[in-house]
Amino acid sequence: MMLLISQFNITHKYNLLFLILVGIVFFLFTVFIYRKTIPLIPSFLKKILIVLRSLVLILMLFILFELTFNFISSFKTPPHIAVGIDHSASMAVKDKAGNRPQVLSAVINDPVFFTLQNQFVFKYYTFANNVNPANIDDSLSFTGDVTNITNSLQYIKNDLAEKNLAGIILLSDGNYNKGGNPIRFAEELGVPVYPIGIGSPEPVPDIAIAGIEYNPYAYINESTPVHVTIRNMGYRNINLPLTLTVNGEKKLTKMINLPPSPSEIKETIDYLPEIPGNNKLVLSFPSQADELSIKNNFRTIYIDVFKAKLNVLLFSGGLSPDISFLKRHIGSSDRYIVNTFIEKSGNGFYQKNENEIDNADMFILLNFPTVHTSPSILNRLLDKVKTQSIPLFIILGKNVHPPKLSLFNEYLPFKANIDKIKEILVFPVLSEEGKNDQVMHISSQNNTALSAWSKLPPVYITHQINQLWPNTKVLAFYKTAVTQKGLTDNNPLIVTRNTGKQESAAVFAYGIWRWDLLMWGVNNDEDVYYNFVNNLLRWLETKQEIKPVQIKTDKQQYNFGEPVKISVEILNESFLPNNRNEIVLSLKHNHVTENIIVNKAGENRYEKIIYLDRSGDFELYLNNEKTTLYTDEVNKTLFSIGEYSSELSNTRLQKALLEGLASTTGGKYIDSDSLFILENTLSGNPRETYMSNSVEFWNNRIILFCVIFSLTLEWFLRKKKGML
């Protein structure tokens, strides 16, 4: 960057000739008064005093005439070229175009880049899960489990916003699986993109388990379906044995007939649970000749298995469509028996068999209790919750009576000091915790759940929640309109709470039947309502012991390359560690243990995100030698990382997409063996920027300082020599 002064001028209030004449007079007057001094002083000191006095008089004259110096400066910024390097897992494969890491290395080190450095400034970035500035000499590890081209382009543009960005060279196979189609974003980019395709557009022979859909909860001797999507790329019609292994024991094998490539089929395996608890299921099939990768030939899932049928007792504060929909969906499962207590408008219930309260395994309170609810019924419910830790599912309605609901206060996920507000329509929005919570999942894919919840119609809210209990988890917030942004903790919609002895959940809205009925006519096949109610009830019935120090991961099963989010929550301050800023955990894998430092992220909470470069089963627990907690009640957590990466589900070079990206932005697609085209394709000129500055003598602190300093120095010198 070169700075030049291109223009200079002076402005003033009065006539410039008059200013010059007065300046000359002031100078001559100063010379005259210092012509003879008493006492006599050396000639050099006399010259200094003349200069100081003249400077003061001239500066004051400049101030009086409001003299202003105006500068217009310019500087040139050389054109910059950003190079985005894809280091996701799909960039590590070998196909008909060769070994991709070797091809990528050859491209980066091609002489054309060194030639172009005479004209452009190059900035390098790597992208996969995240985007990071890089150095050309950095070694690359191709372990990213996603490719987000849109995010990489946005990041580069923002990072070089103050620079003269002339273009972006994109080294990638174009297989994006996050962030949406980059061509749509590229229309707003305003910078030409020059994709260099890495890989071959021809399919590499590979058979993969591309996806699994399953219910994370099941019951002994009740068959549950596991839907397996199998993809055939590069093979003819083939028969394969699909094997199900449970907890290391082979359970069944099913022969699958795969149509010729390219094809994808969905097969269903019926899993019959035999043992309660957390069951590890592995689905696999044998590898084939010349297959791209055997890491996607098997997938691991976990299913929680429970016992027996449960009696669900639904209390409602009046007739409501929600009753019919809840009863129909809950009753459709062989897992539950549903009975209802519907309160009359005056007093009492339409059906009343109080013996059912004694046999209940779960209570659903829909718009209940009301101002008319009998205290005797409430006391029986409360006693049942207290003595048997019965789970509670609360659905707030407009007739709920907060004072009576407060009897259950310590067993609710919120405090019952709620306020009545004007009825409003609200839309659900998943929280960050909700996106990864099994209760909110409608399939095994997180993005499917997020999309499905965003399509739901609004429901009604008539109460403001003022306070949640500390160990309550918010799974969804609400917004009052589709366009609203900036959600806060003040508007929770769906919450859960586990105290270690009793589970509870709440939906702070009514009319949730709309999530079912109003979706029938819009080609909706996700069935959010059914899956949500089913998952929530199964979570409520799960008895989990909560220890005062909780070590958790955001999921139990990860794809290779996915980030593992670790959190440590201390529910009792008296158990805090000796060093309150960090906690040291031990991570065990295949008899090898390493330390993980988890830093403080909030009050009594510690968090850490780690990336592991190996697959298998992992155990995470407190390192007692490095961290001292004043309790032994600390849980361990288990999680698994599969060798399969979703990046490997499609590894072909997406040449058409990269060509479209280049065309949309005004760039050009270039093959990896035609890099010489870059020299005549890249264009960019230095950008000249102008800045104007002014020095106002009458309004400048430095000028005032010079006047005061000169006067002070003159007085000091005169005083030292004893001058009159």
Side-chain angles (χ1 to χ4, degrees):
M1 183 183 296
M2 183 179 297
L3 183 65
L4 300 171
I5 296 177
S6 57
Q7 291 185 19
F8 171 76
N9 63 68
I10 301 174
T11 59
H12 44 83
K13 187 174 182 181
Y14 303 108
N15 186 275
L16 181 60
L17 182 59
F18 181 64
L19 172 65
I20 295 172
L21 290 175
V22 174
I24 294 173
V25 171
F26 280 175
F27 175 73
L28 294 176
F29 173 74
T30 303
V31 172
F32 174 77
I33 62 174
Y34 276 110
R35 182 173 55 86
K36 291 183 179 181
T37 61
I38 302 175
L40 295 175
I41 60 175
S43 175
F44 76 90
L45 183 58
K46 185 183 296 186
K47 293 178 181 178
I48 292 175
L49 291 173
I50 291 173
V51 171
L52 290 174
R53 177 66 64 86
S54 300
L55 179 63
V56 169
L57 292 174
I58 291 173
L59 287 177
M60 293 182 68
L61 187 63
F62 286 173
I63 294 172
L64 181 65
F65 275 69
E66 296 184 8
L67 197 70
T68 302
F69 288 175
N70 300 301
F71 303 89
I72 297 181
S73 56
S74 65
F75 60 89
K76 292 185 177 181
T77 305
H80 284 60
I81 295 293
V83 181
I85 304 171
D86 184 352
H87 71 113
S88 59
S90 64
M91 292 291 287
V93 305
K94 182 179 180 180
D95 58 16
K96 294 183 179 180
N99 184 297
R100 289 189 184 179
Q102 293 179 1
V103 173
L104 183 61
S105 177
V107 169
I108 294 173
N109 293 290
D110 192 278
V112 69
F113 283 95
F114 297 98
T115 302
L116 289 170
Q117 286 179 6
N118 297 324
Q119 184 181 352
F120 302 95
V121 176
F122 279 80
K123 295 289 185 180
Y124 291 86
Y125 300 84
T126 58
F127 68 92
N129 304 60
N130 300 299
V131 188
N132 296 292
N135 189 291
I136 192 172
D137 298 322
D138 292 344
S139 59
L140 296 175
S141 58
F142 301 95
T143 57
D145 66 307
V146 298
T147 301
N148 192 339
I149 297 177
T150 299
N151 182 54
S152 66
L153 296 176
Q154 180 69 66
Y155 180 96
I156 291 171
K157 181 182 177 181
N158 292 341
D159 192 51
L160 299 178
E162 302 299 323
K163 306 294 183 181
N164 181 16
L165 183 58
I168 300 174
I169 296 176
L170 195 69
L171 308 180
S172 175
D173 57 14
N175 278 299
Y176 72 91
N177 50 20
K178 189 176 181 181
N181 191 326
I183 294 179
R184 291 197 295 268
F185 167 75
E187 295 174 354
E188 306 171 1
L189 188 63
V191 177
V193 179
Y194 303 92
I196 298 177
I198 307 296
S200 170
E202 297 183 30
V204 178
D206 188 44
I207 295 178
I209 297 179
I212 298 182
E213 296 180 9
Y214 64 99
N215 195 316
Y217 307 105
Y219 304 94
I220 290 179
N221 298 324
E222 290 186 19
S223 179
T224 182
V226 179
H227 305 291
V228 186
T229 301
I230 305 172
R231 179 179 296 131
N232 177 12
M233 298 295 292
Y235 293 97
R236 297 181 179 179
N237 187 285
I238 187 172
N239 290 313
L240 285 175
L242 180 62
T243 302
L244 172 65
T245 302
V246 180
N247 298 325
E249 182 180 351
K250 184 177 177 180
K251 289 297 181 181
L252 62 89
T253 298
K254 182 178 181 179
M255 293 302 299
I256 307 297
N257 180 260
L258 289 178
S261 172
S263 64
E264 186 174 286
I265 63 170
K266 181 178 287 188
E267 289 288 336
T268 300
I269 286 186
D270 292 318
Y271 163 53
L272 187 66
E274 300 174 355
I275 303 173
N278 190 252
N279 283 248
K280 179 181 178 181
L281 281 66
V282 179
L283 294 114
S284 62
F285 51 78
S287 60
Q288 305 300 306
D290 301 323
E291 193 169 1
L292 166 67
S293 173
I294 63 172
K295 294 180 180 180
N296 51 19
N297 288 23
F298 63 91
R299 295 288 289 272
T300 302
I301 61 174
Y302 292 88
I303 295 180
D304 287 317
V305 178
F306 307 106
K307 302 177 181 178
K309 288 191 174 183
L310 297 181
N311 292 308
V312 177
L313 201 54
L314 170 60
F315 285 85
S316 175
L319 295 172
S320 164
D322 277 322
I323 300 173
S324 302
F325 281 79
L326 282 169
K327 190 172 181 179
R328 177 167 62 87
H329 281 290
I330 297 172
S332 66
S333 170
D334 294 332
R335 175 64 179 158
Y336 305 106
I337 299 172
V338 186
N339 292 292
T340 57
F341 273 52
I342 302 175
E343 197 169 37
K344 298 178 181 178
S345 57
N347 195 7
F349 295 87
Y350 288 104
Q351 310 95 342
K352 185 174 181 181
N353 180 2
E354 295 191 9
N355 291 330
E356 292 175 353
I357 296 177
D358 297 327
N359 298 324
D361 296 299
M362 185 185 303
F363 293 140
I364 299 178
L365 307 185
L366 169 64
N367 193 25
F368 185 89
T370 68
V371 68
H372 304 295
T373 304
S374 165
S376 62
I377 288 290
L378 290 179
N379 289 331
R380 289 199 62 179
L381 294 179
L382 183 60
D383 181 68
K384 182 81 170 175
V385 172
K386 281 183 177 179
T387 58
Q388 299 185 27
S389 301
I390 298 297
L392 287 173
F393 177 20
I394 314 298
I395 303 175
L396 290 186
K398 58 184 176 182
N399 297 323
V400 73
H401 190 54
K404 290 187 177 180
L405 184 62
S406 65
L407 294 174
F408 300 88
N409 207 33
E410 62 180 293
Y411 306 104
L412 302 174
F414 60 99
K415 296 186 179 180
N417 58 332
I418 57 179
D419 297 326
K420 191 73 177 287
I421 61 174
K422 183 180 179 181
E423 182 179 84
I424 56 175
L425 282 169
V426 301
F427 298 84
V429 180
L430 294 188
S431 67
E432 287 303 316
E433 284 190 298
K435 293 175 185 178
N436 294 312
D437 197 289
Q438 290 289 354
V439 170
M440 311 303 284
H441 281 196
I442 60 167
S443 74
S444 61
Q445 302 297 322
N446 287 18
N447 56 343
T448 303
L450 188 63
S451 172
W453 278 94
S454 67
K455 298 175 184 176
L456 294 181
V459 290
Y460 302 97
I461 277 186
T462 56
H463 288 88
Q464 175 67 45
I465 307 303
N466 295 317
Q467 193 173 6
L468 302 174
W469 286 103
N471 53 347
T472 294
K473 180 188 291 187
V474 180
L475 302 183
F477 295 102
Y478 70 77
K479 60 180 180 180
T480 55
V482 176
T483 56
Q484 179 180 338
K485 298 179 180 179
L487 305 175
T488 69
D489 293 341
N490 296 325
N491 50 12
L493 179 63
I494 302 173
V495 298
T496 59
R497 181 188 180 205
N498 187 343
T499 65
K501 296 181 179 179
Q502 187 255 357
E503 293 79 20
S504 60
V507 176
F508 301 129
Y510 65 95
I512 61 174
W513 57 268
R514 296 162 60 89
W515 291 347
D516 185 26
L517 181 63
L518 298 188
M519 300 300 288
W520 290 357
V522 292
N523 296 322
N524 175 63
D525 57 1
E526 285 100 355
D527 210 352
V528 177
Y529 181 88
Y530 172 79
N531 282 288
F532 166 64
V533 173
N534 190 51
N535 290 345
L536 183 58
L537 263 59
R538 296 192 181 198
W539 178 85
L540 284 169
E541 68 175 89
T542 306
K543 298 297 181 183
Q544 302 180 49
E545 181 184 0
I546 298 295
K547 294 189 176 181
V549 179
Q550 284 288 300
I551 301 173
K552 303 175 184 177
T553 54
D554 60 323
K555 295 193 295 183
Q556 194 174 18
Q557 177 188 352
Y558 297 88
N559 288 330
F560 188 82
E562 274 191 298
V564 179
K565 299 178 181 178
I566 301 170
S567 66
V568 180
E569 188 171 2
I570 300 176
L571 305 181
N572 190 326
E573 286 191 1
S574 62
F575 300 148
L576 283 171
N578 46 3
N579 179 2
R580 296 193 173 201
N581 293 322
E582 64 183 33
I583 284 179
V584 181
L585 304 179
S586 292
L587 180 67
K588 186 176 181 180
H589 173 250
N590 290 342
H591 308 291
V592 177
T593 303
E594 62 179 287
N595 292 334
I596 303 292
I597 297 177
V598 186
N599 297 314
K600 189 169 185 178
E603 186 176 358
N604 303 344
R605 185 175 178 83
Y606 300 78
E607 294 180 349
K608 177 82 170 183
I609 297 178
I610 60 175
Y611 292 86
L612 297 172
D613 57 359
R614 52 202 181 280
S615 60
D617 296 322
F618 295 81
E619 182 179 358
L620 195 62
Y621 55 92
L622 183 71
N623 186 317
N624 293 310
E625 295 180 358
K626 300 288 185 179
T627 301
T628 301
L629 294 180
Y630 302 105
T631 178
D632 293 329
E633 297 186 78
V634 183
N635 74 313
K636 296 181 179 181
T637 188
L638 302 174
F639 64 92
S640 176
I641 297 179
E643 293 194 21
Y644 173 78
S645 171
S646 58
E647 268 287 309
L648 300 178
S649 62
N650 186 5
T651 61
R652 288 187 295 173
L653 169 65
Q654 303 300 312
K655 186 173 181 179
L657 181 134
L658 295 178
E659 287 176 336
L661 183 60
S663 175
T664 302
T665 60
K668 185 174 183 178
Y669 175 82
I670 299 171
D671 290 313
S672 59
D673 57 357
S674 304
L675 296 180
F676 61 90
I677 298 176
L678 274 175
E679 286 193 66
N680 299 321
T681 302
L682 293 180
S683 62
N685 298 308
R687 183 176 63 192
E688 192 167 10
T689 305
Y690 295 92
M691 292 191 309
S692 61
N693 294 291
S694 298
V695 178
E696 298 174 332
F697 281 77
W698 51 275
N699 188 28
N700 191 288
R701 293 181 180 180
I702 297 177
I703 300 299
L704 179 61
F705 172 78
C706 290
V707 171
I708 296 173
F709 177 77
S710 299
L711 285 173
T712 303
L713 183 57
E714 183 189 9
W715 174 85
F716 173 76
L717 294 175
R718 291 174 62 91
K719 185 74 174 176
K720 187 175 180 181
K721 294 297 183 179
M723 295 175 62
L724 297 178

